[in-house]
Amino acid sequence: MINNLRALADAVGMGPAAGDGRDLLVRQRDVDGPLHLDRVSADRLELVHVDAAGIVAVRSCVIEELVLDHCSADAILVTNSRIGRLTVRNAPVNCEISITESTASVIDVHSCGPLKVTNVRVGESMQIAAVRGGVRLKGLRTAALAVRSQATSGRRGRPDVHLEHVRVTESLVFDDLWLASLTLRDIDATSVELRRVRLDSPLTGIGVHCRDFLRINGMVVPGEAGCLEESDVQGVVDVRGVRRIVAAVPRQRPGVAGTAHGAPPPADSPSPPEPLELTLRSSTVRRVRVTAEDGAPLVVGLDNSVVTEALSLPSGPARFRLAGDSTVQEVDLGNAVFRRSSQVNGFLERVFTRVTANSLEAVRTTLARQRRTAEADELYYRIRQREAAQTPWLRRLVGHGLLGGVFGWGVRARNPARALVCSILATAVALRLSGAPPGLGSQRLTDLSAAGKSLVFACALWMNVGVGAPSEAKTYDWTAMAVCFTIGGIVFTTLTVGIVIRKLVR
């Protein structure tokens, strides 16, 4: 146990001239046993090329600047200490670095093996560069955190990065990494950014809270992009350039493919690649923006999630998927119009993976907010028709056929007007074919005057009770029939006029 700089200098065989005040530099020394620094106070302590037969432990120390460079040991432990600037560089791959229960202004770890940080407070920033082993951060509090680049490659050089209960007051950045896995659990940061990150397993995020934005740019993933659960992003979720890991195709020998005993030749038009999907499950975000590259289709799925502001128009072969009880406050419509079914379907197929009640409701809400009432009514009609089509046959007949096809769900004036016109024409044809009542004229079907009288009489039956009817139609039977027709005519007329007035008032 060493509790002052003079004892440290004596332990490593440097003699009384090793220390100069509160600074000490130890270079190229071998220590036969473990090196324990306990309750050391110094301005600067630097260990360079120190080889310890055991662990290097720093406990309960107060040091303004601590530098461990090319130190070879079984492990490096910093615990229960207060350090101004901590720098650990070029430790062996089999040397685990553990920093626990300490405070520091700046921590810089470069080209080291496995790193474990637990319950550490960093005043300014923490940077982990040239990663050579797994990184596990738990209970970390810092202003800025960056994990950058790697010093090794190959399957054995792909570390696991796990962050849990991490609070970052500014930015959290992952840059230029090839990782076996990346897990974010209970993260609170102003912004989270993944740049040029390649993963061997899908991204996992649970409880990620961003006060500004979450940006994923240039990520390469396996069959699935990943999932963020129970997260909250108060700014923009920006996803772009996500691609799938391309498996190596073995080269075939010339003359084998396409022969009688070889594999069949490839098709002229290969099938398009399956889209990757990044899922936001049970999360709340302000805005989602997605961009996909050609040949790398991407889907951002919303599963029981809420978008409080808007979904931006996707760029490239990118789409959104709404599932569960997901709600969207607004959808960026661009210059799209929604007057015909083809226009509605074209826009929805461009933005969403498929036409669903959720996607229709999101577009309808946006149109209503923009006071595009006619187009909003068109979307409302389609939503109710889809809902009615999924009910049992009797309710489907009443809802889809009568309320929707005939009455237009109270938003389409042409449906009841068309039903009234068709009913009048059908009644006129029936009257003409049956020849009743006799007072309408000749029984010849080619008599246009009689056909006109049948049409006028059909209008009289549907629009009023027997007014203008011939004397032969003054009986009780014809009056009862006229009352039934008039009730239907009043319903169709009132509904048509009401829908038109509602549109004019709005």
Side-chain angles (χ1 to χ4, degrees):
M1 181 182 299
I2 301 171
N3 55 16
N4 57 67
L5 295 182
R6 185 62 58 193
L8 174 60
D10 294 338
V12 297
M14 296 190 64
D20 182 10
R22 292 174 54 85
D23 297 346
L24 179 63
L25 170 62
V26 180
R27 183 185 297 274
Q28 294 182 348
R29 288 293 185 270
D30 293 336
V31 181
D32 295 335
L35 182 58
H36 293 247
L37 306 180
D38 195 356
R39 295 187 296 276
V40 172
S41 178
D43 288 339
R44 177 181 174 86
L45 174 59
E46 186 173 359
L47 305 181
V48 180
H49 289 281
V50 173
D51 187 1
I55 68 171
V56 175
V58 179
R59 296 189 181 94
S60 304
C61 296
V62 179
I63 304 174
E64 289 298 323
E65 183 174 2
L66 175 61
V67 179
L68 304 175
D69 191 358
H70 285 89
C71 291
S72 179
D74 294 340
I76 297 176
L77 173 64
V78 179
T79 181
N80 197 26
S81 298
R82 188 169 71 247
I83 300 173
R85 183 181 186 90
L86 173 60
T87 303
V88 184
R89 293 192 296 260
N90 303 308
V93 177
N94 58 353
C95 176
E96 179 178 332
I97 300 171
S98 179
I99 306 172
T100 62
E101 304 293 342
S102 300
T103 61
S105 296
V106 177
I107 295 181
D108 187 2
V109 181
H110 187 282
S111 187
C112 295
L115 173 65
K116 183 178 180 181
V117 177
T118 306
N119 297 333
V120 173
R121 294 181 179 272
V122 182
E124 297 180 12
S125 65
M126 179 175 181
Q127 178 169 281
I128 305 169
V131 180
R132 301 169 64 190
V135 177
R136 186 176 183 87
L137 311 179
K138 184 176 182 181
L140 173 66
R141 306 291 187 272
T142 180
L145 174 61
V147 183
R148 305 177 185 275
S149 70
Q150 287 176 253
T152 58
S153 59
R155 183 169 298 276
R156 297 187 61 184
R158 303 173 195 172
D160 296 306
V161 176
H162 182 92
L163 277 67
E164 185 176 357
H165 300 295
V166 174
R167 301 292 180 268
V168 182
T169 57
E170 295 178 6
S171 62
L172 170 59
V173 178
F174 300 91
D175 187 11
D176 192 18
L177 298 167
W178 189 346
L179 307 176
S181 65
L182 176 59
T183 303
L184 306 177
R185 186 182 297 271
D186 191 14
I187 306 298
D188 189 344
T190 298
S191 63
V192 178
E193 188 170 3
L194 281 71
R195 299 193 298 248
R196 301 182 301 277
V197 175
R198 182 165 181 168
L199 301 174
D200 291 338
S201 61
L203 172 68
T204 302
I206 301 176
V208 178
H209 302 276
C210 298
R211 293 178 294 277
D212 194 351
F213 63 85
L214 170 63
R215 180 175 296 132
I216 300 176
N217 189 1
M219 187 170 70
V220 182
V221 292
E224 297 181 4
C227 178
L228 296 178
E229 298 183 21
E230 301 176 1
S231 299
D232 182 13
V233 181
Q234 300 177 12
V236 180
V237 176
D238 189 1
V239 184
R240 61 180 63 191
V242 178
R243 296 180 291 110
R244 177 182 278 107
I245 296 175
V246 179
V249 178
R251 181 180 299 178
Q252 295 181 347
R253 291 177 297 176
V256 174
T259 61
H261 302 285
D268 295 335
S269 57
S271 59
E274 291 293 329
L276 289 166
E277 180 166 343
L278 177 66
T279 305
L280 302 175
R281 181 175 295 117
S282 302
S283 301
T284 302
V285 299
R286 181 179 178 184
R287 176 182 284 269
V288 183
R289 185 166 54 232
V290 55
T291 303
E293 301 175 353
D294 293 338
L298 176 64
V299 173
V300 174
L302 300 175
D303 189 355
N304 294 320
S305 297
V306 177
V307 179
T308 60
E309 187 173 297
L311 290 178
S312 299
L313 279 176
S315 177
R319 298 292 185 272
F320 294 107
R321 181 182 63 85
L322 301 182
D325 296 329
S326 298
T327 58
V328 178
Q329 188 76 7
E330 188 174 342
V331 179
D332 189 358
L333 302 179
N335 298 323
V337 293
F338 305 90
R339 294 187 178 92
R340 295 190 299 271
S341 298
S342 59
Q343 296 172 337
V344 175
N345 292 333
F347 177 82
L348 293 175
E349 291 172 358
R350 175 190 171 192
V351 176
F352 301 97
T353 55
R354 60 191 183 94
V355 180
T356 62
N358 284 348
S359 59
L360 286 169
E361 180 61 26
V363 177
R364 189 202 67 81
T365 303
T366 304
L367 292 172
R369 283 177 167 273
Q370 297 179 2
R371 298 186 181 276
R372 299 165 62 175
T373 55
E375 295 166 296
D377 289 343
E378 177 66 23
L379 268 295
Y380 175 79
Y381 174 81
R382 293 175 63 87
I383 292 172
R384 298 305 302 268
Q385 285 291 83
R386 288 181 63 88
E387 293 175 351
Q390 298 173 358
T391 57
W393 71 271
L394 182 58
R395 295 179 59 186
R396 181 167 63 250
L397 181 63
V398 174
H400 193 276
L402 179 62
L403 298 179
V406 177
F407 296 146
W409 290 110
V411 295
R412 269 191 176 184
R414 62 178 179 268
N415 285 38
R418 181 175 56 200
L420 178 59
V421 171
C422 292
S423 299
I424 293 175
L425 294 177
T427 303
V429 171
L431 291 173
R432 188 75 189 106
L433 293 177
S434 63
L440 292 181
S442 174
Q443 299 298 321
R444 291 181 298 130
L445 298 178
T446 58
D447 189 348
L448 298 180
S449 176
K453 292 180 180 180
S454 297
L455 180 61
V456 172
F457 184 45
C459 292
L461 290 176
W462 280 95
M463 304 301 294
N464 55 74
V465 183
V467 177
S471 58
E472 291 81 355
K474 299 295 186 178
T475 63
Y476 289 104
D477 294 337
W478 280 103
T479 303
M481 184 176 65
V483 170
C484 296
F485 280 122
T486 302
I487 292 175
I490 291 174
V491 171
F492 288 132
T493 304
T494 304
L495 187 58
T496 303
V497 173
I499 295 173
V500 172
I501 292 177
R502 172 176 170 269
K503 290 180 179 292
L504 293 176
V505 169
R506 290 192 306 174

